[in-house]
C-alpha cells in the first residue's frame, strides 16, 4: 500500500468521528457539575494528564481563546464557563458536536468551526488572545504550518499553549514479546509516519479497525518550529505517562507541554 494513496486527513476525520460516536476517553462531554463549578470560578483544564498550572492561563474572563484541534466537549466548555469567549476548531464533526451539546445544555457562549489545524484562513490575523492546543498534532504530517497559523491568528502579546508526545515514543518496535521481556528495540527513524513506516498489513489492520493514522515529529519541528514561527518560549514542562502504553513510558516523561508568546 503506497502512502500517496491514503488521504490521511479525511481518513483521520472519519476515525475520530467513529471514536466520538463510541464515546471514547476524549469524547465524553464534561458533566453539568463541572460546568457549574467553572461558572463559580473552580475549574481546571488539561494539556497533559495533570491539570494545567493556573499560571499558564491566568484569568480567562473576557479572553478570546481558540481551542485548536481540541474538540470533544471537555476543555472548551470549561473555558467558556470560566468566562472566556471560545471557538473550538477541529477536523471531526462528531467531536465538535460534543462541545455544542455541552454549550446548549448549560447555556454557554461557544462557537465551533470544522477544519484542518494547519489552515486557519477562516480567521483574521490577530484574532485571539490564547491558542490552546492539547496533544493532537501527531495526526498531521507536517506540524510547522500549525505553529505558523497559530502565530498569525494570535494578537501581539498572545499566548500559545501546546502539548505533544516526546517523539522517542515512535522509535521502538511495538512487538508485545519485546515489551513483555523489558526490551526496547529501536526500529523507526524520525520523523515517523504510519503511512511510510508500517508494513502494508499493519496499515490495513489500522484502517480496518478505523484507528487514526499518526506521525512522530522531530523536536526540531515541535519546539524549533514554534521558534521559527516567531514565538518566544517562556515555559516548558514534561510529565510521565500515568498509564504506560509503551515500555519507554516507564523510564522518562513522554508528555511535553510548552508555553510561548507572540511578542511582535
Amino acid at each position: 500500500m503506497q502512502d500517496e494513496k491514503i488521504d490521511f486527513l479525511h481518513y483521520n476525520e472519519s476515525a475520530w468521528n467513529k471514536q466520538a460516536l463510541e464515546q471514547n476517553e476524549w469524547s465524553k462531554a464534561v458533566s453539568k457539575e463541572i460546568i457549574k463549578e467553572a461558572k463559580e470560578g473552580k475549574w481546571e483544564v488539561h494539556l497533559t494528564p495533570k491539570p494545567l498550572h493556573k499560571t499558564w492561563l491566568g484569568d480567562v474572563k473576557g479572553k478570546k481563546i481558540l481551542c485548536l484541534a481540541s474538540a470533544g466537549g471537555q476543555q472548551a466548555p470549561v473555558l467558556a464557563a470560566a468566562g472566556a469567549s471560545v471557538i473550538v476548531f477541529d477536523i471531526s464533526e462528531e467531536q465538535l458536536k460534543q462541545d455544542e451539546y455541552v454549550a446548549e445544555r448549560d447555556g454557554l457562549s461557544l462557537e465551533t468551526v470544522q477544519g484542518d489545524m494547519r489552515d486557519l484562513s477562516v480567521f483574521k490575523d490577530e484574532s485571539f488572545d490564547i491558542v490552546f492546543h492539547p496533544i493532537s498534532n501527531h495526526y498531521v504530517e507536517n506540524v510547522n504550518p500549525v505553529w505558523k497559523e497559530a502565530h498569525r491568528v494570535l494578537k501581539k502579546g498572545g499566548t500559545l499553549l501546546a502539548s505533544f508526545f516526546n517523539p522517542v515514543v515512535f522509535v521502538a518496535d511495538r512487538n508485545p514479546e519485546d515489551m513483555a521481556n523489558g526490551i526496547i528495540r529501536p526500529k523507526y527513524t524520525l520523523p515517523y509516519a504510519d503511512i511510510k513506516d508500517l508494513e502494508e498489513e499493519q496499515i490495513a489492520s489500522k484502517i480496518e479497525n478505523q484507528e487514526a493514522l499518526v506521525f512522530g515529529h522531530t523536536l526540531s519541528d515541535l519546539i524549533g518550529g514554534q521558534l521559527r514561527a516567531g514565538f518566544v518560549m517562556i515555559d516548558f514542562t514534561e510529565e510521565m505517562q500515568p498509564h504506560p502504553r509503551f515500555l519507554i513510558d516507564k523510564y522518562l516523561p513522554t508528555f511535553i507541554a510548552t508555553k510561548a508568546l507572540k511578542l511582535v
Side-chain angles (χ1 to χ4, degrees):
M1 185 179 297
Q2 297 296 317
D3 60 314
E4 60 264 27
K5 295 180 181 178
I6 302 174
D7 182 348
F8 74 85
L9 185 69
H10 289 97
Y11 171 77
N12 280 350
E13 175 187 355
S14 176
W16 270 101
N17 283 340
K18 175 178 180 288
Q19 291 196 53
L21 290 169
E22 292 177 349
Q23 292 283 282
N24 84 338
E25 181 182 1
W26 308 114
S27 307
K28 294 178 181 177
V30 293
S31 67
K32 291 178 67 70
E33 290 71 27
I34 287 176
I35 295 300
K36 180 177 181 294
E37 289 186 350
K39 289 179 177 180
E40 295 169 353
K42 296 173 288 186
W43 57 273
E44 58 187 34
V45 290
H46 297 258
L47 282 177
T48 58
K50 292 181 181 178
L52 183 67
H53 196 284
K54 291 292 187 182
T55 59
W56 275 40
L57 265 173
D59 185 1
V60 299
K61 289 180 180 178
K63 297 288 182 64
K64 290 196 67 176
I65 299 180
L66 175 64
C67 288
L68 179 57
S70 177
Q74 298 179 359
Q75 316 278 22
V78 170
L79 291 169
S85 173
V86 179
I87 295 179
V88 194
F89 187 91
D90 200 279
I91 194 65
S92 167
E93 180 182 5
E94 294 299 330
Q95 283 284 95
L96 289 167
K97 284 181 180 179
Q98 294 297 98
D99 295 282
E100 293 166 0
Y101 163 72
V102 180
E104 183 176 354
R105 183 193 70 191
D106 299 321
L108 303 175
S109 178
L110 180 152
E111 182 181 349
T112 61
V113 180
Q114 186 178 13
D116 177 354
M117 70 179 86
R118 300 166 300 173
D119 179 8
L120 304 181
S121 55
V122 67
F123 304 119
K124 295 179 180 179
D125 294 357
E126 301 185 18
S127 296
F128 298 96
D129 299 294
I130 297 168
V131 172
F132 188 81
H133 180 48
I135 293 175
S136 56
N137 57 44
H138 58 290
Y139 295 116
V140 294
E141 190 170 21
N142 183 359
V143 71
N144 288 290
V146 179
W147 307 136
K148 291 177 182 177
E149 281 290 82
H151 189 272
R152 181 184 65 78
V153 301
L154 274 170
K155 300 174 183 178
K156 290 181 176 64
T159 305
L160 168 66
L161 303 179
S163 58
F164 36 85
F165 291 117
N166 186 319
V168 72
V169 302
F170 297 99
V171 169
D173 192 353
R174 296 153 205 174
N175 184 333
E177 186 175 338
D178 280 350
M179 294 179 66
N181 292 324
I183 297 171
I184 299 174
R185 196 185 305 273
K187 181 176 182 179
Y188 307 110
T189 57
L190 294 172
Y192 168 87
D194 278 351
I195 56 178
K196 75 173 177 65
D197 289 310
L198 294 183
E199 302 293 336
E200 287 190 11
E201 57 269 24
Q202 292 174 299
I203 298 175
S205 177
K206 292 198 76 166
I207 290 175
E208 182 179 357
N209 295 324
Q210 288 186 273
E211 299 174 38
L213 297 167
V214 301
F215 302 86
H217 308 295
T218 63
L219 289 174
S220 292
D221 284 338
L222 290 167
I223 295 176
Q226 294 186 53
L227 303 177
R228 289 189 297 273
F231 287 104
V232 174
M233 198 163 294
I234 63 168
D235 209 345
F236 174 100
T237 187
E238 297 175 286
E239 189 175 318
M240 297 292 289
Q241 167 64 264
H243 307 291
R245 297 176 301 160
F246 308 113
L247 194 56
I248 193 67
D249 287 324
K250 298 181 180 181
Y251 296 97
L252 57 83
T254 49
F255 287 102
I256 293 175
T258 57
K259 179 178 182 179
L261 296 182
K262 175 180 177 177
L263 297 183
V264 294

